[in-house]
PDB file of all heavy atoms in Angstrom:
ATOM      1  N   GLY I 330      10.179  -5.208  -2.928  1.00 94.00           N
ATOM      2  CA  GLY I 330       8.829  -4.870  -3.504  1.00 94.00           C
ATOM      3  C   GLY I 330       7.745  -5.871  -2.921  1.00 94.00           C
ATOM      4  O   GLY I 330       6.654  -5.467  -2.591  1.00 94.00           O
ATOM      5  N   MET I 331       8.178  -7.142  -2.806  1.00 95.00           N
ATOM      6  CA  MET I 331       7.267  -8.128  -2.218  1.00 95.00           C
ATOM      7  C   MET I 331       6.963  -7.808  -0.715  1.00 95.00           C
ATOM      8  O   MET I 331       5.761  -7.936  -0.278  1.00 95.00           O
ATOM      9  CB  MET I 331       7.921  -9.594  -2.405  1.00 95.00           C
ATOM     10  CG  MET I 331       7.948 -10.117  -3.778  1.00 95.00           C
ATOM     11  SD  MET I 331       6.387 -10.723  -4.331  1.00 95.00           S
ATOM     12  CE  MET I 331       6.250 -12.331  -3.447  1.00 95.00           C
ATOM     13  N   LYS I 332       7.978  -7.441  -0.008  1.00 95.00           N
ATOM     14  CA  LYS I 332       7.833  -7.016   1.375  1.00 95.00           C
ATOM     15  C   LYS I 332       6.914  -5.882   1.494  1.00 95.00           C
ATOM     16  O   LYS I 332       6.077  -5.835   2.462  1.00 95.00           O
ATOM     17  CB  LYS I 332       9.140  -6.817   2.015  1.00 95.00           C
ATOM     18  CG  LYS I 332       9.999  -8.048   2.251  1.00 95.00           C
ATOM     19  CD  LYS I 332      11.324  -7.657   2.926  1.00 95.00           C
ATOM     20  CE  LYS I 332      12.043  -9.017   3.120  1.00 95.00           C
ATOM     21  NZ  LYS I 332      13.470  -8.804   3.758  1.00 95.00           N
ATOM     22  N   ARG I 333       7.033  -4.933   0.603  1.00 95.00           N
ATOM     23  CA  ARG I 333       6.186  -3.780   0.696  1.00 95.00           C
ATOM     24  C   ARG I 333       4.760  -4.122   0.413  1.00 95.00           C
ATOM     25  O   ARG I 333       3.809  -3.603   1.043  1.00 95.00           O
ATOM     26  CB  ARG I 333       6.734  -2.716  -0.375  1.00 95.00           C
ATOM     27  CG  ARG I 333       5.765  -1.429  -0.430  1.00 95.00           C
ATOM     28  CD  ARG I 333       5.680  -0.676   0.832  1.00 95.00           C
ATOM     29  NE  ARG I 333       6.995  -0.237   1.296  1.00 95.00           N
ATOM     30  CZ  ARG I 333       7.196   0.485   2.428  1.00 95.00           C
ATOM     31  NH1 ARG I 333       6.163   0.815   3.155  1.00 95.00           N
ATOM     32  NH2 ARG I 333       8.424   0.885   2.802  1.00 95.00           N
ATOM     33  N   LYS I 334       4.462  -5.003  -0.508  1.00 96.00           N
ATOM     34  CA  LYS I 334       3.108  -5.462  -0.773  1.00 96.00           C
ATOM     35  C   LYS I 334       2.568  -6.158   0.448  1.00 96.00           C
ATOM     36  O   LYS I 334       1.383  -6.007   0.793  1.00 96.00           O
ATOM     37  CB  LYS I 334       3.026  -6.431  -2.038  1.00 96.00           C
ATOM     38  CG  LYS I 334       3.435  -5.794  -3.372  1.00 96.00           C
ATOM     39  CD  LYS I 334       3.325  -6.859  -4.412  1.00 96.00           C
ATOM     40  CE  LYS I 334       3.781  -6.398  -5.750  1.00 96.00           C
ATOM     41  NZ  LYS I 334       3.705  -7.446  -6.774  1.00 96.00           N
ATOM     42  N   LEU I 335       3.312  -7.020   1.126  1.00 96.00           N
ATOM     43  CA  LEU I 335       2.943  -7.663   2.313  1.00 96.00           C
ATOM     44  C   LEU I 335       2.624  -6.683   3.375  1.00 96.00           C
ATOM     45  O   LEU I 335       1.528  -6.855   4.103  1.00 96.00           O
ATOM     46  CB  LEU I 335       3.984  -8.715   2.731  1.00 96.00           C
ATOM     47  CG  LEU I 335       3.740  -9.609   3.938  1.00 96.00           C
ATOM     48  CD1 LEU I 335       2.407 -10.372   3.728  1.00 96.00           C
ATOM     49  CD2 LEU I 335       4.872 -10.429   4.372  1.00 96.00           C
ATOM     50  N   ALA I 336       3.337  -5.664   3.491  1.00 96.00           N
ATOM     51  CA  ALA I 336       3.200  -4.668   4.510  1.00 96.00           C
ATOM     52  C   ALA I 336       1.807  -3.907   4.223  1.00 96.00           C
ATOM     53  O   ALA I 336       0.981  -3.627   5.195  1.00 96.00           O
ATOM     54  CB  ALA I 336       4.291  -3.647   4.538  1.00 96.00           C
ATOM     55  N   ILE I 337       1.507  -3.650   2.981  1.00 96.00           N
ATOM     56  CA  ILE I 337       0.287  -3.045   2.608  1.00 96.00           C
ATOM     57  C   ILE I 337      -0.943  -3.998   3.034  1.00 96.00           C
ATOM     58  O   ILE I 337      -1.879  -3.553   3.614  1.00 96.00           O
ATOM     59  CB  ILE I 337       0.270  -2.774   1.078  1.00 96.00           C
ATOM     60  CG1 ILE I 337       1.210  -1.732   0.770  1.00 96.00           C
ATOM     61  CG2 ILE I 337      -1.182  -2.382   0.603  1.00 96.00           C
ATOM     62  CD1 ILE I 337       1.448  -1.433  -0.698  1.00 96.00           C
ATOM     63  N   VAL I 338      -0.821  -5.226   2.696  1.00 96.00           N
ATOM     64  CA  VAL I 338      -1.887  -6.210   2.987  1.00 96.00           C
ATOM     65  C   VAL I 338      -2.131  -6.223   4.552  1.00 96.00           C
ATOM     66  O   VAL I 338      -3.245  -6.149   4.953  1.00 96.00           O
ATOM     67  CB  VAL I 338      -1.503  -7.576   2.448  1.00 96.00           C
ATOM     68  CG1 VAL I 338      -2.539  -8.626   3.020  1.00 96.00           C
ATOM     69  CG2 VAL I 338      -1.492  -7.656   0.913  1.00 96.00           C
ATOM     70  N   THR I 339      -1.093  -6.394   5.338  1.00 95.00           N
ATOM     71  CA  THR I 339      -1.247  -6.560   6.717  1.00 95.00           C
ATOM     72  C   THR I 339      -1.653  -5.175   7.467  1.00 95.00           C
ATOM     73  O   THR I 339      -2.205  -5.267   8.432  1.00 95.00           O
ATOM     74  CB  THR I 339      -0.012  -7.121   7.429  1.00 95.00           C
ATOM     75  OG1 THR I 339       1.131  -6.318   7.068  1.00 95.00           O
ATOM     76  CG2 THR I 339       0.237  -8.490   6.964  1.00 95.00           C
ATOM     77  N   ALA I 340      -1.307  -4.104   6.821  1.00 94.00           N
ATOM     78  CA  ALA I 340      -1.740  -2.773   7.421  1.00 94.00           C
ATOM     79  C   ALA I 340      -3.162  -2.529   7.215  1.00 94.00           C
ATOM     80  O   ALA I 340      -3.872  -1.956   8.131  1.00 94.00           O
ATOM     81  CB  ALA I 340      -0.926  -1.651   6.757  1.00 94.00           C
ATOM     82  N   PHE I 341      -3.755  -3.049   6.129  1.00 95.00           N
ATOM     83  CA  PHE I 341      -5.183  -2.726   5.785  1.00 95.00           C
ATOM     84  C   PHE I 341      -6.093  -3.902   5.782  1.00 95.00           C
ATOM     85  O   PHE I 341      -7.255  -3.771   5.461  1.00 95.00           O
ATOM     86  CB  PHE I 341      -5.171  -2.050   4.403  1.00 95.00           C
ATOM     87  CG  PHE I 341      -4.259  -0.847   4.228  1.00 95.00           C
ATOM     88  CD1 PHE I 341      -3.446  -0.771   3.202  1.00 95.00           C
ATOM     89  CD2 PHE I 341      -4.132   0.059   5.306  1.00 95.00           C
ATOM     90  CE1 PHE I 341      -2.567   0.339   3.017  1.00 95.00           C
ATOM     91  CE2 PHE I 341      -3.213   1.100   5.207  1.00 95.00           C
ATOM     92  CZ  PHE I 341      -2.434   1.238   4.060  1.00 95.00           C
ATOM     93  N   MET I 342      -5.680  -5.061   6.164  1.00 95.00           N
ATOM     94  CA  MET I 342      -6.538  -6.280   6.176  1.00 95.00           C
ATOM     95  C   MET I 342      -7.657  -6.195   7.113  1.00 95.00           C
ATOM     96  O   MET I 342      -8.743  -6.862   6.854  1.00 95.00           O
ATOM     97  CB  MET I 342      -5.637  -7.436   6.546  1.00 95.00           C
ATOM     98  CG  MET I 342      -5.043  -7.419   7.912  1.00 95.00           C
ATOM     99  SD  MET I 342      -3.761  -8.687   8.247  1.00 95.00           S
ATOM    100  CE  MET I 342      -4.754 -10.181   8.198  1.00 95.00           C
ATOM    101  N   HIS I 343      -7.617  -5.354   8.190  1.00 94.00           N
ATOM    102  CA  HIS I 343      -8.736  -5.211   9.071  1.00 94.00           C
ATOM    103  C   HIS I 343      -9.657  -4.108   8.753  1.00 94.00           C
ATOM    104  O   HIS I 343     -10.501  -3.746   9.490  1.00 94.00           O
ATOM    105  CB  HIS I 343      -8.172  -5.082  10.475  1.00 94.00           C
ATOM    106  CG  HIS I 343      -7.263  -3.867  10.643  1.00 94.00           C
ATOM    107  ND1 HIS I 343      -6.146  -3.653   9.967  1.00 94.00           N
ATOM    108  CD2 HIS I 343      -7.345  -2.789  11.570  1.00 94.00           C
ATOM    109  CE1 HIS I 343      -5.605  -2.504  10.336  1.00 94.00           C
ATOM    110  NE2 HIS I 343      -6.264  -2.012  11.279  1.00 94.00           N
ATOM    111  N   ASP I 344      -9.484  -3.524   7.526  1.00 95.00           N
ATOM    112  CA  ASP I 344     -10.333  -2.457   6.938  1.00 95.00           C
ATOM    113  C   ASP I 344     -10.542  -1.262   7.900  1.00 95.00           C
ATOM    114  O   ASP I 344     -11.636  -0.903   8.346  1.00 95.00           O
ATOM    115  CB  ASP I 344     -11.740  -3.033   6.674  1.00 95.00           C
ATOM    116  CG  ASP I 344     -12.497  -2.164   5.672  1.00 95.00           C
ATOM    117  OD1 ASP I 344     -11.887  -1.331   5.061  1.00 95.00           O
ATOM    118  OD2 ASP I 344     -13.758  -2.463   5.545  1.00 95.00           O
ATOM    119  N   PRO I 345      -9.375  -0.593   8.246  1.00 95.00           N
ATOM    120  CA  PRO I 345      -9.501   0.483   9.250  1.00 95.00           C
ATOM    121  C   PRO I 345     -10.060   1.714   8.714  1.00 95.00           C
ATOM    122  O   PRO I 345     -10.072   2.022   7.518  1.00 95.00           O
ATOM    123  CB  PRO I 345      -7.985   0.709   9.589  1.00 95.00           C
ATOM    124  CG  PRO I 345      -7.242   0.310   8.296  1.00 95.00           C
ATOM    125  CD  PRO I 345      -8.083  -0.827   7.766  1.00 95.00           C
ATOM    126  N   GLU I 346     -10.667   2.546   9.644  1.00 95.00           N
ATOM    127  CA  GLU I 346     -11.236   3.852   9.289  1.00 95.00           C
ATOM    128  C   GLU I 346     -10.132   4.938   9.007  1.00 95.00           C
ATOM    129  O   GLU I 346     -10.478   5.827   8.294  1.00 95.00           O
ATOM    130  CB  GLU I 346     -12.154   4.301  10.469  1.00 95.00           C
ATOM    131  CG  GLU I 346     -13.429   3.496  10.578  1.00 95.00           C
ATOM    132  CD  GLU I 346     -14.390   3.657   9.434  1.00 95.00           C
ATOM    133  OE1 GLU I 346     -14.344   4.739   8.856  1.00 95.00           O
ATOM    134  OE2 GLU I 346     -15.155   2.736   9.177  1.00 95.00           O
ATOM    135  N   ILE I 347      -9.009   4.748   9.731  1.00 97.00           N
ATOM    136  CA  ILE I 347      -7.926   5.754   9.523  1.00 97.00           C
ATOM    137  C   ILE I 347      -6.726   4.979   9.020  1.00 97.00           C
ATOM    138  O   ILE I 347      -6.330   3.980   9.477  1.00 97.00           O
ATOM    139  CB  ILE I 347      -7.590   6.428  10.882  1.00 97.00           C
ATOM    140  CG1 ILE I 347      -8.772   7.041  11.470  1.00 97.00           C
ATOM    141  CG2 ILE I 347      -6.481   7.437  10.782  1.00 97.00           C
ATOM    142  CD1 ILE I 347      -8.614   7.615  12.837  1.00 97.00           C
ATOM    143  N   LEU I 348      -6.078   5.701   8.009  1.00 97.00           N
ATOM    144  CA  LEU I 348      -4.828   5.134   7.394  1.00 97.00           C
ATOM    145  C   LEU I 348      -3.679   6.077   7.592  1.00 97.00           C
ATOM    146  O   LEU I 348      -3.884   7.251   7.250  1.00 97.00           O
ATOM    147  CB  LEU I 348      -5.019   4.746   5.917  1.00 97.00           C
ATOM    148  CG  LEU I 348      -6.231   4.015   5.472  1.00 97.00           C
ATOM    149  CD1 LEU I 348      -6.330   3.952   4.014  1.00 97.00           C
ATOM    150  CD2 LEU I 348      -6.286   2.612   6.117  1.00 97.00           C
ATOM    151  N   VAL I 349      -2.617   5.639   8.136  1.00 97.00           N
ATOM    152  CA  VAL I 349      -1.370   6.529   8.314  1.00 97.00           C
ATOM    153  C   VAL I 349      -0.242   5.838   7.504  1.00 97.00           C
ATOM    154  O   VAL I 349       0.150   4.744   7.756  1.00 97.00           O
ATOM    155  CB  VAL I 349      -0.923   6.611   9.741  1.00 97.00           C
ATOM    156  CG1 VAL I 349       0.281   7.397   9.906  1.00 97.00           C
ATOM    157  CG2 VAL I 349      -2.131   7.228  10.518  1.00 97.00           C
ATOM    158  N   LEU I 350       0.154   6.534   6.395  1.00 96.00           N
ATOM    159  CA  LEU I 350       1.059   5.970   5.439  1.00 96.00           C
ATOM    160  C   LEU I 350       2.300   6.736   5.355  1.00 96.00           C
ATOM    161  O   LEU I 350       2.326   7.910   5.015  1.00 96.00           O
ATOM    162  CB  LEU I 350       0.347   5.917   4.038  1.00 96.00           C
ATOM    163  CG  LEU I 350      -1.101   5.488   4.077  1.00 96.00           C
ATOM    164  CD1 LEU I 350      -1.717   5.647   2.623  1.00 96.00           C
ATOM    165  CD2 LEU I 350      -1.191   4.139   4.490  1.00 96.00           C
ATOM    166  N   ASP I 351       3.433   6.074   5.637  1.00 94.00           N
ATOM    167  CA  ASP I 351       4.724   6.780   5.594  1.00 94.00           C
ATOM    168  C   ASP I 351       5.578   6.253   4.399  1.00 94.00           C
ATOM    169  O   ASP I 351       6.032   5.123   4.510  1.00 94.00           O
ATOM    170  CB  ASP I 351       5.443   6.527   6.958  1.00 94.00           C
ATOM    171  CG  ASP I 351       6.730   7.431   7.074  1.00 94.00           C
ATOM    172  OD1 ASP I 351       6.993   8.260   6.248  1.00 94.00           O
ATOM    173  OD2 ASP I 351       7.445   7.259   8.111  1.00 94.00           O
ATOM    174  N   GLU I 352       5.759   7.089   3.336  1.00 92.00           N
ATOM    175  CA  GLU I 352       6.444   6.683   2.174  1.00 92.00           C
ATOM    176  C   GLU I 352       5.935   5.305   1.647  1.00 92.00           C
ATOM    177  O   GLU I 352       6.628   4.356   1.547  1.00 92.00           O
ATOM    178  CB  GLU I 352       7.984   6.658   2.423  1.00 92.00           C
ATOM    179  CG  GLU I 352       8.566   7.939   2.930  1.00 92.00           C
ATOM    180  CD  GLU I 352       8.592   9.063   1.937  1.00 92.00           C
ATOM    181  OE1 GLU I 352       8.231   8.745   0.783  1.00 92.00           O
ATOM    182  OE2 GLU I 352       8.920  10.153   2.262  1.00 92.00           O
ATOM    183  N   PRO I 353       4.626   5.272   1.430  1.00 93.00           N
ATOM    184  CA  PRO I 353       3.960   3.971   1.147  1.00 93.00           C
ATOM    185  C   PRO I 353       4.415   3.212  -0.150  1.00 93.00           C
ATOM    186  O   PRO I 353       4.351   1.994  -0.100  1.00 93.00           O
ATOM    187  CB  PRO I 353       2.437   4.269   1.178  1.00 93.00           C
ATOM    188  CG  PRO I 353       2.469   5.732   0.644  1.00 93.00           C
ATOM    189  CD  PRO I 353       3.640   6.338   1.273  1.00 93.00           C
ATOM    190  N   THR I 354       4.904   3.903  -1.130  1.00 92.00           N
ATOM    191  CA  THR I 354       5.268   3.217  -2.335  1.00 92.00           C
ATOM    192  C   THR I 354       6.738   2.980  -2.548  1.00 92.00           C
ATOM    193  O   THR I 354       7.145   2.490  -3.600  1.00 92.00           O
ATOM    194  CB  THR I 354       4.737   4.032  -3.620  1.00 92.00           C
ATOM    195  OG1 THR I 354       5.342   5.331  -3.541  1.00 92.00           O
ATOM    196  CG2 THR I 354       3.181   4.221  -3.525  1.00 92.00           C
ATOM    197  N   SER I 355       7.483   3.269  -1.450  1.00 89.00           N
ATOM    198  CA  SER I 355       8.917   2.935  -1.540  1.00 89.00           C
ATOM    199  C   SER I 355       9.155   1.485  -1.766  1.00 89.00           C
ATOM    200  O   SER I 355       8.655   0.613  -1.049  1.00 89.00           O
ATOM    201  CB  SER I 355       9.572   3.371  -0.129  1.00 89.00           C
ATOM    202  OG  SER I 355      10.930   3.000  -0.179  1.00 89.00           O
ATOM    203  N   GLY I 356       9.910   1.124  -2.857  1.00 89.00           N
ATOM    204  CA  GLY I 356      10.198  -0.183  -3.202  1.00 89.00           C
ATOM    205  C   GLY I 356       9.231  -0.843  -4.168  1.00 89.00           C
ATOM    206  O   GLY I 356       9.522  -1.898  -4.725  1.00 89.00           O
ATOM    207  N   LEU I 357       8.182  -0.171  -4.466  1.00 93.00           N
ATOM    208  CA  LEU I 357       7.167  -0.734  -5.446  1.00 93.00           C
ATOM    209  C   LEU I 357       7.559  -0.294  -6.886  1.00 93.00           C
ATOM    210  O   LEU I 357       8.145   0.840  -7.057  1.00 93.00           O
ATOM    211  CB  LEU I 357       5.739  -0.181  -5.171  1.00 93.00           C
ATOM    212  CG  LEU I 357       5.153  -0.640  -3.945  1.00 93.00           C
ATOM    213  CD1 LEU I 357       3.782   0.027  -3.769  1.00 93.00           C
ATOM    214  CD2 LEU I 357       5.012  -2.142  -3.828  1.00 93.00           C
ATOM    215  N   ASP I 358       7.314  -1.182  -7.819  1.00 93.00           N
ATOM    216  CA  ASP I 358       7.611  -0.741  -9.221  1.00 93.00           C
ATOM    217  C   ASP I 358       6.507   0.146  -9.728  1.00 93.00           C
ATOM    218  O   ASP I 358       5.548   0.330  -9.041  1.00 93.00           O
ATOM    219  CB  ASP I 358       7.697  -2.018 -10.123  1.00 93.00           C
ATOM    220  CG  ASP I 358       6.425  -2.861 -10.085  1.00 93.00           C
ATOM    221  OD1 ASP I 358       5.375  -2.208 -10.256  1.00 93.00           O
ATOM    222  OD2 ASP I 358       6.473  -4.027 -10.118  1.00 93.00           O
ATOM    223  N   PRO I 359       6.760   0.806 -10.850  1.00 93.00           N
ATOM    224  CA  PRO I 359       5.777   1.875 -11.320  1.00 93.00           C
ATOM    225  C   PRO I 359       4.328   1.404 -11.480  1.00 93.00           C
ATOM    226  O   PRO I 359       3.378   2.087 -11.145  1.00 93.00           O
ATOM    227  CB  PRO I 359       6.351   2.348 -12.697  1.00 93.00           C
ATOM    228  CG  PRO I 359       7.785   2.043 -12.564  1.00 93.00           C
ATOM    229  CD  PRO I 359       7.902   0.864 -11.749  1.00 93.00           C
ATOM    230  N   ILE I 360       4.218   0.163 -11.864  1.00 94.00           N
ATOM    231  CA  ILE I 360       2.850  -0.413 -12.062  1.00 94.00           C
ATOM    232  C   ILE I 360       2.186  -0.579 -10.715  1.00 94.00           C
ATOM    233  O   ILE I 360       0.923  -0.218 -10.522  1.00 94.00           O
ATOM    234  CB  ILE I 360       2.855  -1.763 -12.765  1.00 94.00           C
ATOM    235  CG1 ILE I 360       3.320  -1.696 -14.217  1.00 94.00           C
ATOM    236  CG2 ILE I 360       1.491  -2.455 -12.776  1.00 94.00           C
ATOM    237  CD1 ILE I 360       3.505  -2.879 -14.982  1.00 94.00           C
ATOM    238  N   MET I 361       2.857  -1.025  -9.648  1.00 95.00           N
ATOM    239  CA  MET I 361       2.327  -1.206  -8.391  1.00 95.00           C
ATOM    240  C   MET I 361       2.073   0.131  -7.700  1.00 95.00           C
ATOM    241  O   MET I 361       1.229   0.316  -6.860  1.00 95.00           O
ATOM    242  CB  MET I 361       3.116  -2.125  -7.489  1.00 95.00           C
ATOM    243  CG  MET I 361       2.982  -3.604  -7.863  1.00 95.00           C
ATOM    244  SD  MET I 361       1.372  -4.228  -7.626  1.00 95.00           S
ATOM    245  CE  MET I 361       0.945  -4.700  -9.379  1.00 95.00           C
ATOM    246  N   GLN I 362       2.919   1.133  -8.024  1.00 94.00           N
ATOM    247  CA  GLN I 362       2.750   2.517  -7.466  1.00 94.00           C
ATOM    248  C   GLN I 362       1.354   3.040  -7.932  1.00 94.00           C
ATOM    249  O   GLN I 362       0.664   3.626  -7.189  1.00 94.00           O
ATOM    250  CB  GLN I 362       3.910   3.356  -7.920  1.00 94.00           C
ATOM    251  CG  GLN I 362       5.225   3.162  -7.159  1.00 94.00           C
ATOM    252  CD  GLN I 362       6.326   4.035  -7.693  1.00 94.00           C
ATOM    253  OE1 GLN I 362       6.108   4.874  -8.522  1.00 94.00           O
ATOM    254  NE2 GLN I 362       7.508   3.810  -7.135  1.00 94.00           N
ATOM    255  N   GLU I 363       1.061   2.865  -9.232  1.00 95.00           N
ATOM    256  CA  GLU I 363      -0.169   3.295  -9.803  1.00 95.00           C
ATOM    257  C   GLU I 363      -1.334   2.540  -9.229  1.00 95.00           C
ATOM    258  O   GLU I 363      -2.376   3.075  -8.841  1.00 95.00           O
ATOM    259  CB  GLU I 363      -0.246   3.134 -11.295  1.00 95.00           C
ATOM    260  CG  GLU I 363       0.617   4.117 -12.023  1.00 95.00           C
ATOM    261  CD  GLU I 363       0.258   5.471 -11.808  1.00 95.00           C
ATOM    262  OE1 GLU I 363      -1.040   5.769 -11.824  1.00 95.00           O
ATOM    263  OE2 GLU I 363       0.990   6.397 -11.658  1.00 95.00           O
ATOM    264  N   ARG I 364      -1.130   1.220  -8.948  1.00 95.00           N
ATOM    265  CA  ARG I 364      -2.133   0.373  -8.258  1.00 95.00           C
ATOM    266  C   ARG I 364      -2.448   0.910  -6.871  1.00 95.00           C
ATOM    267  O   ARG I 364      -3.589   0.890  -6.411  1.00 95.00           O
ATOM    268  CB  ARG I 364      -1.628  -1.053  -8.302  1.00 95.00           C
ATOM    269  CG  ARG I 364      -2.690  -2.125  -7.977  1.00 95.00           C
ATOM    270  CD  ARG I 364      -3.697  -2.435  -9.073  1.00 95.00           C
ATOM    271  NE  ARG I 364      -3.009  -2.632 -10.313  1.00 95.00           N
ATOM    272  CZ  ARG I 364      -2.557  -3.927 -10.655  1.00 95.00           C
ATOM    273  NH1 ARG I 364      -2.820  -4.906  -9.835  1.00 95.00           N
ATOM    274  NH2 ARG I 364      -2.006  -4.133 -11.829  1.00 95.00           N
ATOM    275  N   PHE I 365      -1.310   1.304  -6.192  1.00 95.00           N
ATOM    276  CA  PHE I 365      -1.573   1.818  -4.805  1.00 95.00           C
ATOM    277  C   PHE I 365      -2.355   3.141  -4.844  1.00 95.00           C
ATOM    278  O   PHE I 365      -3.169   3.362  -3.996  1.00 95.00           O
ATOM    279  CB  PHE I 365      -0.203   2.030  -4.170  1.00 95.00           C
ATOM    280  CG  PHE I 365      -0.298   2.430  -2.705  1.00 95.00           C
ATOM    281  CD1 PHE I 365      -0.448   1.436  -1.716  1.00 95.00           C
ATOM    282  CD2 PHE I 365      -0.221   3.738  -2.287  1.00 95.00           C
ATOM    283  CE1 PHE I 365      -0.615   1.735  -0.377  1.00 95.00           C
ATOM    284  CE2 PHE I 365      -0.339   4.112  -0.982  1.00 95.00           C
ATOM    285  CZ  PHE I 365      -0.486   3.044  -0.050  1.00 95.00           C
ATOM    286  N   ILE I 366      -2.038   4.012  -5.799  1.00 95.00           N
ATOM    287  CA  ILE I 366      -2.822   5.234  -5.952  1.00 95.00           C
ATOM    288  C   ILE I 366      -4.252   4.931  -6.157  1.00 95.00           C
ATOM    289  O   ILE I 366      -5.175   5.620  -5.588  1.00 95.00           O
ATOM    290  CB  ILE I 366      -2.184   6.086  -7.079  1.00 95.00           C
ATOM    291  CG1 ILE I 366      -0.849   6.719  -6.609  1.00 95.00           C
ATOM    292  CG2 ILE I 366      -3.186   7.227  -7.428  1.00 95.00           C
ATOM    293  CD1 ILE I 366      -0.108   7.440  -7.677  1.00 95.00           C
ATOM    294  N   GLU I 367      -4.575   3.969  -7.026  1.00 96.00           N
ATOM    295  CA  GLU I 367      -5.981   3.513  -7.193  1.00 96.00           C
ATOM    296  C   GLU I 367      -6.620   3.152  -5.971  1.00 96.00           C
ATOM    297  O   GLU I 367      -7.714   3.445  -5.628  1.00 96.00           O
ATOM    298  CB  GLU I 367      -6.045   2.314  -8.230  1.00 96.00           C
ATOM    299  CG  GLU I 367      -5.608   2.697  -9.632  1.00 96.00           C
ATOM    300  CD  GLU I 367      -5.602   1.467 -10.571  1.00 96.00           C
ATOM    301  OE1 GLU I 367      -5.896   0.354 -10.039  1.00 96.00           O
ATOM    302  OE2 GLU I 367      -5.180   1.592 -11.766  1.00 96.00           O
ATOM    303  N   PHE I 368      -5.872   2.335  -5.051  1.00 95.00           N
ATOM    304  CA  PHE I 368      -6.380   1.859  -3.820  1.00 95.00           C
ATOM    305  C   PHE I 368      -6.677   3.020  -2.857  1.00 95.00           C
ATOM    306  O   PHE I 368      -7.737   3.106  -2.221  1.00 95.00           O
ATOM    307  CB  PHE I 368      -5.331   0.912  -3.181  1.00 95.00           C
ATOM    308  CG  PHE I 368      -5.669   0.561  -1.797  1.00 95.00           C
ATOM    309  CD1 PHE I 368      -6.740  -0.181  -1.497  1.00 95.00           C
ATOM    310  CD2 PHE I 368      -4.809   0.936  -0.735  1.00 95.00           C
ATOM    311  CE1 PHE I 368      -7.041  -0.568  -0.136  1.00 95.00           C
ATOM    312  CE2 PHE I 368      -5.049   0.600   0.607  1.00 95.00           C
ATOM    313  CZ  PHE I 368      -6.206  -0.107   0.824  1.00 95.00           C
ATOM    314  N   ILE I 369      -5.842   4.053  -2.843  1.00 96.00           N
ATOM    315  CA  ILE I 369      -6.028   5.133  -2.003  1.00 96.00           C
ATOM    316  C   ILE I 369      -7.274   5.880  -2.421  1.00 96.00           C
ATOM    317  O   ILE I 369      -8.134   6.351  -1.626  1.00 96.00           O
ATOM    318  CB  ILE I 369      -4.786   6.139  -1.982  1.00 96.00           C
ATOM    319  CG1 ILE I 369      -3.620   5.376  -1.325  1.00 96.00           C
ATOM    320  CG2 ILE I 369      -5.095   7.384  -1.273  1.00 96.00           C
ATOM    321  CD1 ILE I 369      -3.850   4.944   0.088  1.00 96.00           C
TER     322      ILE I 369
END
């Protein structure tokens, strides 16, 4: 779960215009899954 969070941070830290997400919430707990949906 920590590694998945780190991957999210480094994927989007440069504020890209296009996001390509492959099974993005794999390994996240339910609270962080909801947090990720909020982010999207």
Side-chain angles (χ1 to χ4, degrees):
M331 290 281 285
K332 288 180 178 178
R333 177 59 61 179
K334 292 180 185 180
L335 181 60
I337 292 171
V338 171
T339 53
F341 308 136
M342 62 192 294
H343 57 304
D344 200 14
E346 293 288 332
I347 302 175
L348 311 177
V349 177
L350 316 176
D351 190 4
E352 304 291 351
T354 60
S355 175
L357 294 180
D358 63 42
I360 293 175
M361 286 299 118
Q362 288 178 2
E363 287 299 317
R364 194 74 54 86
F365 187 82
I366 289 173
E367 290 175 7
F368 170 65
I369 294 303

